[in-house]
Amino acid sequence: MERNTVDILGYGVDTFSFDQAVDYIVNKPGQIVTINPEMIQCADKNSELKSIINSSQMVVPDGIGVELGLKILGHDVKRIAGIDLGKALIKRIYYLKKSVALIGAKQDVVENAVVNLKAELPDLNIVYYHNGYFDDDAEIVKELTDKAPKLILVALGSPKQEFFINKIRTLLPDSIFIGLGGSFDVWAGTVKRAPVLYRNLGLEWLYRTVSDPRRIKRIFPTLPLFVLKVIKERLSNK
Ligand code: UDP
């Protein structure tokens, strides 16, 4: 299977289905970016982030914003939630009897995420984990390169996680890296995931904003501005 990407505002997004994405990255490891309008807004002002995104092994549309944007541009690509892709990769790695590492979140959160993952998949080989609050990453980089986990889940929030992964990905060419934002908080049970009904309707963002109104800054004006930009691009391409 080969990659097929479509462009949205200068960012290449993969058109894989969920299952294809898992199969592809297991065979061709590298960095997975779960892209959303907020990340695009940030990368528009940060060329290094933009080049990290566009040189990663896979870019999946995480959420309704990018899915809608792609639709406006005439591309029918279904969204892939990073948290679901992360979990599916853990399961695949588990069946392949390979190893996993988790980097990110607060100490108790990452610890509880590890406990809960192990409760679900008893022999899951978690060879290393570390919280996401560190100034010096030398020890973490050493542990990761020594243990060479097949799957490295990084939940530092964006764009911190994308920069961290970019820094270490060449040291571990056989590993799969995915930036997972707040997923460890969900796996730890600290934060509740939106109910399935919200997810199916593409309203996960609404649930998260109502649960934590401070997140409103992330949606407004980013989301409407993003949609306007995409419409402008669509009109200029006609
Ligand atoms: N985080 C971290 N180190 C930092 C800043 C944040 O490990 O220096 C963690 C934070 O504890 C949380 C996650 O990164 O678990 C960010 O979650 P957020 O909801 O902001 O991510 P999003 O999914 O919205 O990108």
Side-chain angles (χ1 to χ4, degrees), residues 41-215:
Q41 188 190 43
C42 180
D44 279 346
K45 296 188 200 118
N46 184 328
S47 57
E48 201 187 339
L49 180 60
K50 185 168 184 175
S51 82
I52 290 173
I53 296 170
N54 281 335
S55 66
S56 62
Q57 189 70 1
M58 186 184 281
V59 180
V60 298
D62 183 11
I64 193 73
V66 174
E67 182 179 314
L68 178 66
L70 288 170
K71 192 156 254 156
I72 292 168
L73 296 170
H75 307 296
D76 220 349
V77 185
K78 213 163 156 24
R79 61 187 182 273
I80 293 179
I83 187 168
D84 294 330
L85 185 57
K87 187 52 123 11
L89 287 169
I90 293 174
K91 287 187 178 153
R92 180 65 69 87
I93 292 305
Y94 175 74
Y95 291 119
L96 293 171
K97 299 197 181 342
K98 299 207 166 152
S99 56
V100 181
L102 286 82
I103 311 294
K106 297 190 179 130
Q107 183 64 21
D108 59 324
V109 170
V110 69
E111 275 172 11
N112 286 332
V114 166
V115 167
N116 290 343
L117 287 171
K118 285 223 177 220
E120 192 180 338
L121 303 165
D123 300 322
L124 180 65
N125 187 12
I126 298 177
V127 283
Y128 183 63
Y129 66 88
H130 198 285
N131 68 61
Y133 295 86
F134 48 85
D135 293 322
D136 181 4
D137 61 13
E139 183 210 317
I140 298 173
V141 174
K142 187 180 179 313
E143 289 285 336
L144 289 175
T145 43
D146 283 354
K147 296 187 167 132
K150 182 71 189 171
L151 174 63
I152 302 177
L153 308 154
V154 185
L156 303 172
S158 187
K160 226 176 185 175
Q161 60 201 17
E162 280 69 39
F163 284 111
F164 179 73
I165 292 173
N166 181 59
K167 184 174 168 187
I168 57 173
R169 66 179 181 178
T170 49
L171 301 171
L172 291 155
D174 294 329
S175 298
I176 301 165
F177 301 88
I178 181 165
L180 281 180
S183 302
F184 295 179
D185 297 86
V186 174
W187 293 341
T190 316
V191 170
K192 248 183 80 191
R193 180 115 190 251
V196 176
L197 181 68
Y198 282 80
R199 285 187 241 160
N200 289 346
L201 292 172
L203 292 175
E204 192 148 9
W205 60 274
L206 180 64
Y207 180 85
R208 290 172 87 181
T209 309
V210 171
S211 313
D212 181 5
R214 283 169 306 174
R215 293 184 73 94

